[in-house]
Amino acid sequence: MSLLSNPFDPTHEAALVTGAGNGIGRAIAHALTGEGVRTIFADVSAERVTAAVEAAPRPELAVPWVGDLARRDAWDALLTHAQAALGQVTHFVHSASPPRREADHAFAVDADTWEAMRAVNVDAAFYLSRELARQLIATKTPGSFLMLTSLHAGTPRNLPHYSTSKAALTMMVKELAKSLGRFGIRINALVPGAIAAGGFVADASLSRHIPLGRIGKAEDLAPMALAVLSNRISGYVTGAAFVVDGGLSLTNWFDPPVLDDL
Ligand SMILES: NC(=O)c1ccc[n+]([C@@H]2O[C@H](COP(=O)([O-])OP(=O)(O)OC[C@H]3O[C@@H](n4cnc5c(N)ncnc54)[C@H](O)[C@@H]3O)[C@@H](O)[C@H]2O)c1
């Protein structure tokens, strides 16, 4: 049998994707339904969720949920909705993140913006992961979680509320991977580079610094997301971070070598 065919078991597996209304979350949610996986499309924007569900490869497998994940009461509402619609969620992707505004530099970012960024990127990620893990442990079911982190977990972005939240999320992946491994629950990080999705307005000149020569697309992230989420493909992988950046993170002040004599 092919190693890579049928990465999921749609009879027993179901997914929840936050931030599924746009960008990378939407591309991953679409890819999951394309593999036959029933998937909750969760997002704060009703308009975006409706459009994402309608555009899914198999809309009949896509279940919309609209709510603000910066609010604690929304977390239980989402879990209750997921349980009612799908039964047990085995695969969880956390891609939701509030908008990154360049104006919110260290001396401008206000308390509410700081709080919302942390609440969505860290608090919701932890609470949802832990509660989903509790359900999986109770039924001795394996699970796979994927957190969208960032290269800015390790390098500044001039947005301290954003970079610190991604650094915290990066550590959360490692903490939970260590705690949950014995229950067959894997948790990993997907680390995008410069991806022209809703949250990032790319200056085309940036591609000069990317070894693969172009800004990324949300769809560039989906195949790696599926591979890492799949228990069949990545069953022995946990606590890892997968960088999908066209080589952007190799950039420094040295230009690439001149290779004219090849
Ligand atoms: N695009 C990039 O270059 C890039 C780079 C590194 C990391 N990332 C990370 O990848 C993820 C997706 O990025 P993207 O560019 O696709 O973002 P995006 O802005 O296109 O999508 C994020 C989605 O999250 C939703 N959202 C925002 N606040 C929410 C809330 N309070 N409750 C529920 N949903 C909410 C938005 O409505 C949106 O649909 C994010 O976590 C981001 O930090 C992206």
Side-chain angles (χ1 to χ4, degrees), residues 19 21-24 43-44 48 67-70 95-98 100 120 148-150 162 166 192-195 197-200:
N22 202 54
I24 296 166
D43 203 283
V44 72
R48 286 177 163 187
D68 180 359
L69 291 171
S95 186
S97 182
R100 287 147 273 173
V120 177
L148 270 293
T149 62
S150 172
Y162 180 70
K166 293 296 183 179
I195 308 301
F200 175 71

Side-chain angles (χ1 to χ4, degrees), residues 69-80 119 123-124 127-128:
L69 291 171
R71 295 173 51 101
R72 283 168 189 267
D73 56 353
W75 306 341
D76 280 323
L78 172 54
L79 292 170
T80 303
D123 303 357
Y127 187 85
L128 293 171

Side-chain angles (χ1 to χ4, degrees), residues 174-252:
K174 296 179 187 181
E175 283 282 356
L176 290 186
K178 195 167 179 186
S179 297
L180 300 179
R182 76 194 68 171
F183 303 108
I185 300 170
R186 303 181 297 105
I187 174 162
N188 292 289
L190 191 62
V191 191
I195 308 301
F200 175 71
V201 181
D203 178 344
S205 66
L206 182 59
S207 51
R208 193 165 59 86
H209 301 292
I210 300 176
L212 290 184
R214 64 173 174 85
I215 306 283
K217 306 186 293 281
E219 291 70 25
D220 289 322
L221 276 292
M224 181 64 90
L226 291 200
V228 181
L229 281 168
S230 163
N231 291 328
R232 289 179 175 160
I233 297 173
S234 300
Y236 196 54
V237 177
T238 197
F242 295 87
V243 178
V244 181
D245 72 345
L248 174 63
S249 51
L250 305 175
T251 292
N252 55 31

Side-chain angles (χ1 to χ4, degrees), residues 2-261:
S2 160
L3 260 186
L4 299 180
S5 60
N6 302 319
F8 298 100
D9 174 5
T11 318
H12 300 107
E13 295 179 340
L16 162 56
V17 181
T18 70
N22 202 54
I24 296 166
R26 175 178 154 129
I28 295 172
H30 279 177
L32 283 164
T33 61
E35 294 298 329
V37 179
R38 293 165 300 132
T39 302
I40 302 277
F41 284 47
D43 203 283
V44 72
S45 162
E47 206 179 322
R48 286 177 163 187
V49 168
T50 304
V53 164
E54 282 173 8
R58 293 184 58 188
E60 72 279 13
L61 300 178
V63 179
W65 179 87
V66 178
D68 180 359
L69 291 171
R71 295 173 51 101
R72 283 168 189 267
D73 56 353
W75 306 341
D76 280 323
L78 172 54
L79 292 170
T80 303
H81 181 74
Q83 173 92 47
L86 303 183
Q88 194 153 49
V89 170
T90 53
H91 291 64
F92 171 43
V93 179
H94 190 52
S95 186
S97 182
R100 287 147 273 173
R101 289 185 298 257
E102 303 306 325
D104 289 332
H105 59 71
F107 289 97
V109 62
D110 63 35
D112 287 348
T113 305
W114 184 286
E115 169 64 21
M117 189 64 83
R118 201 208 65 239
V120 177
N121 288 4
V122 186
D123 303 357
F126 182 66
Y127 187 85
L128 293 171
S129 297
R130 191 170 63 175
E131 295 313 308
L132 290 169
R134 277 193 221 283
Q135 295 170 10
L136 293 167
I137 292 165
T139 55
K140 295 188 166 47
T141 307
S144 177
F145 303 165
L146 190 63
M147 303 293 127
L148 270 293
T149 62
S150 172
L151 295 175
H152 298 295
T155 57
R157 171 67 171 80
N158 302 334
L159 300 175
H161 55 314
Y162 180 70
S163 56
T164 57
S165 73
K166 293 296 183 179
L169 184 60
T170 298
M171 196 61 212
M172 194 204 86
V173 167
K174 296 179 187 181
E175 283 282 356
L176 290 186
K178 195 167 179 186
S179 297
L180 300 179
R182 76 194 68 171
F183 303 108
I185 300 170
R186 303 181 297 105
I187 174 162
N188 292 289
L190 191 62
V191 191
I195 308 301
F200 175 71
V201 181
D203 178 344
S205 66
L206 182 59
S207 51
R208 193 165 59 86
H209 301 292
I210 300 176
L212 290 184
R214 64 173 174 85
I215 306 283
K217 306 186 293 281
E219 291 70 25
D220 289 322
L221 276 292
M224 181 64 90
L226 291 200
V228 181
L229 281 168
S230 163
N231 291 328
R232 289 179 175 160
I233 297 173
S234 300
Y236 196 54
V237 177
T238 197
F242 295 87
V243 178
V244 181
D245 72 345
L248 174 63
S249 51
L250 305 175
T251 292
N252 55 31
W253 53 90
F254 295 104
D255 285 332
V258 177
L259 300 173
D260 291 346
D261 53 346

